[in-house]
């Protein structure tokens, strides 16, 4: 191998990326060639400069702790809301049960069945109204043609 | 590597530990790396902190789907880079960070005049010159020399081939050398 062939491999060698299969040939050339040894030394020096230039250090422990706490707040938020929803549903269920119980007791002890009869009659009227409306909708639906795409 | 093994055991173990036990451990180990990587892409501290948080939230969401072969460090780095690039795209700077494969323009090296000079703090000059490089070349050089990643790790993080990484590094260093020479003539 001559210097021209070795040159690109020196970049890889300086970066520690040269394959083992090529290592022996390159080292053999370096043992004989002063110019390539100097080139390798300057490449390694460049890498040191780049490491120094590309160093970023701003990870202060206090700041990281704050960020960690912020992350936990985000992680715990869905669970908290889920818990709140469950509690709300339970309260609503308890409230509805109590209301139904009170109504049942009132109806039972009132003695007058007219209230219940009135309610049933009202329900029947509403049902017949809904039946008529349903039939009317069906009647209207028969005339409307499906939309073509 | 040891951190990765312990982290995986912590993540996959079916313990009744609170959330803090799982993610807190990983956060304390990997947060500096994720924050620095995001900062290298974004060049903005507060945005990098947002990316840090989103990265760990995403890791937490995918903890049940983690493959045994995947390195958690590599995964976190990749998530943070992708999220940072997404942020840049949303802000309309996507053209500056299109990570494409580069064509190998022949391996004929230019005459090597290194950016070393006795009596000058080269690192300070090179730091300024790095900022002038195209974003992708700068990011790759920073990942290689700032984060000490191998070519294979960079190619994995950026989804480009290893030869493309090597080519980008050489091209970036060639540009730095040229700029360093012109800076010596008084342009810097």
């Amino acid at each position: 191998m001559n210097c021209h062939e070795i040159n690109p491999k020196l970049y890889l060698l300086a970066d520690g990326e040269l394959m083992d299969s090529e290592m022996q040939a390159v080292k053999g050339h370096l043992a004989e060639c002063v110019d390539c040894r100097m080139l390798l030394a300057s490449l390694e020096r460049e890498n040191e400069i780049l490491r120094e230039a590309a160093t970023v250090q701003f990870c202060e422990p206090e700041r990281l702790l704050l960020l960690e706490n912020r992350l936990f707040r985000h992680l715990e938020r869905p669970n908290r809301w889920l818990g709140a929803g469950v509690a709300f549903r339970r309260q609503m269920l308890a409230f509805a049960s109590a209301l139904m119980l009170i109504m049942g007791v009132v109806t039972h002890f009132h003695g007058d069945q007219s209230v219940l009869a009135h309610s049933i009659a009202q329900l029947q009227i509403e049902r017949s109204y809904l039946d008529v409306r349903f039939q009317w909708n069906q009647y209207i639906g028969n005339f409307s043609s499906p939309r073509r795409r | 590597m040891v951190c990765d093994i312990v982290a995986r055991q912590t993540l996959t173990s079916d313990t009744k530990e609170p959330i803090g036990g799982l993610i807190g451990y990983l956060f304390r180990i990997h947060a500096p790396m994720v924050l620095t990587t995001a900062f290298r892409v974004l060049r903005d501290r507060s945005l990098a902190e947002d990316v840090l948080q989103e990265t760990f939230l995403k890791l937490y969401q995918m903890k049940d789907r983690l493959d045994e072969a995947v390195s958690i460090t590599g995964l976190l780095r990749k998530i943070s880079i992708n999220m940072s690039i997404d942020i840049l795209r949303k802000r309309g700077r996507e053209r500056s960070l299109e990570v494409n494969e580069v064509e190998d323009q022949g391996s004929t090296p230019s005459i090597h005049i290194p950016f070393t000079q006795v009596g000058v703090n080269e690192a300070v000059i090179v730091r300024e010159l790095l900022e002038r490089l195209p974003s992708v070349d700068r990011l790759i050089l920073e990942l290689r020399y700032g984060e000490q990643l191998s070519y294979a790790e960079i190619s994995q993080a950026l989804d480009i081939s290893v030869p493309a990484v090597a080519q980008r590094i050489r091209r970036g260093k060639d540009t730095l050398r040229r700029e360093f020479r012109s800076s010596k003539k008084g342009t810097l």
Side-chain angles (χ1 to χ4, degrees):
Chain A
M1 276 190 179
N2 58 29
C3 294
H4 187 72
E5 289 169 330
I6 288 289
N7 196 309
K9 300 187 193 312
L10 292 181
Y11 284 81
L12 295 174
L13 180 63
D15 270 344
E17 297 282 341
L18 189 67
M19 287 190 291
D20 291 340
S21 56
E22 295 175 315
M23 189 69 83
Q24 199 162 0
V26 173
K27 286 201 168 171
H29 178 85
L30 283 172
E32 297 166 1
C33 181
V34 181
D35 289 342
C36 286
R37 278 205 301 274
M38 285 175 65
L39 175 60
L40 180 64
S42 75
L43 287 172
E44 285 170 346
R45 171 74 186 128
E46 277 184 355
N47 290 352
E48 279 175 29
I49 295 167
L50 270 167
R51 275 186 210 108
E52 197 182 333
T55 302
V56 176
Q57 284 182 336
F58 52 64
C59 300
E60 309 87 3
E62 300 84 12
R63 184 69 192 156
L64 284 178
L65 194 63
L66 280 175
L67 293 170
E68 190 179 337
N69 290 335
R70 196 173 84 170
L71 174 70
F72 289 156
R73 282 202 298 277
H74 270 262
L75 283 171
E76 285 161 4
R77 188 174 295 165
N79 296 339
R80 196 178 63 205
W81 283 109
L82 184 67
V86 170
F88 179 72
R89 279 200 296 274
R90 280 182 187 159
Q91 283 176 0
M92 286 301 290
L93 194 64
F95 178 73
S97 307
L99 193 66
M100 285 176 73
L101 189 67
I102 291 167
M103 284 177 69
V105 168
V106 167
T107 311
H108 180 72
F109 285 107
H110 194 262
D112 187 1
Q113 297 295 316
S114 62
V115 175
L116 189 61
H118 180 71
S119 303
I120 291 167
Q122 203 167 7
L123 279 172
Q124 282 172 344
I125 291 166
E126 281 177 10
R127 189 178 170 185
S128 58
Y129 167 73
L130 285 172
D131 284 343
V132 168
R133 183 137 187 214
F134 176 70
Q135 284 168 7
W136 170 252
N137 284 341
Q138 274 194 326
Y139 176 72
I140 293 295
N142 287 337
F143 287 101
S144 60
S145 58
R147 185 179 291 175
R148 288 180 185 174
R149 292 185 179 177
Chain B
M1 194 62 195
V2 175
C3 287
D4 248 21
I5 293 166
V6 177
R8 187 177 301 286
Q9 284 170 353
T10 316
L11 257 185
T12 51
S13 63
D14 188 20
T15 56
K16 298 291 179 191
E17 245 180 322
I19 296 166
L22 296 169
I23 290 294
Y25 175 78
L26 290 173
F27 189 92
R28 282 185 282 278
I29 293 173
H30 295 293
M33 179 273 291
V34 174
L35 189 60
T36 313
T37 305
F39 180 78
R40 288 188 192 284
V41 180
L42 292 164
R43 284 291 190 264
D44 185 306
R45 172 72 190 247
S46 63
L47 285 176
E49 289 181 356
D50 290 344
V51 168
L52 171 71
Q53 177 161 320
E54 293 299 320
T55 301
F56 278 92
L57 285 174
K58 188 159 187 179
L59 180 75
Y60 184 71
Q61 285 164 3
M62 60 194 296
K63 69 183 168 63
D64 299 326
R65 290 177 280 130
L66 284 179
D67 190 3
E68 282 293 315
V70 175
S71 142
I72 287 178
T73 314
L75 181 68
L76 284 170
R77 187 178 290 118
K78 190 164 186 172
I79 294 172
S80 64
I81 287 176
N82 287 341
M83 281 187 174
S84 305
I85 291 175
D86 283 347
I87 288 175
L88 287 186
R89 283 187 180 138
K90 280 176 192 162
R91 297 173 92 199
R93 287 157 57 185
E94 71 274 16
R95 284 192 174 276
S96 63
L97 255 170
E98 286 293 333
V99 186
N100 297 323
E101 298 277 336
V102 288
E103 289 178 16
D104 193 355
Q105 298 152 346
S107 57
T108 316
S110 54
I111 298 167
H112 182 83
I113 303 173
F115 49 74
T116 55
Q117 190 183 1
V118 180
V120 174
N121 190 349
E122 300 103 331
V124 176
I125 300 172
V126 171
R127 194 172 294 144
E128 286 188 43
L129 295 177
L130 270 172
E131 296 297 325
R132 298 187 197 171
L133 284 180
S135 302
V136 179
D137 292 352
R138 176 181 54 74
L139 177 62
I140 290 175
L141 282 176
E142 288 193 343
L143 289 176
R144 175 70 192 96
Y145 298 104
E147 298 291 314
Q148 312 285 324
L149 299 191
S150 67
Y151 288 10
E153 287 170 321
I154 296 171
S155 83
Q156 193 188 8
L158 297 178
D159 277 332
I160 54 175
S161 65
V162 173
V165 172
Q167 181 67 18
R168 291 265 189 186
I169 286 175
R170 281 196 62 181
R171 199 171 71 178
K173 284 165 105 174
D174 285 344
T175 312
L176 283 179
R177 279 183 210 109
R178 262 198 319 275
E179 294 290 320
F180 192 87
R181 281 203 299 278
S182 57
S183 77
K184 282 202 297 183
K185 290 173 189 166
T187 54
L188 193 76

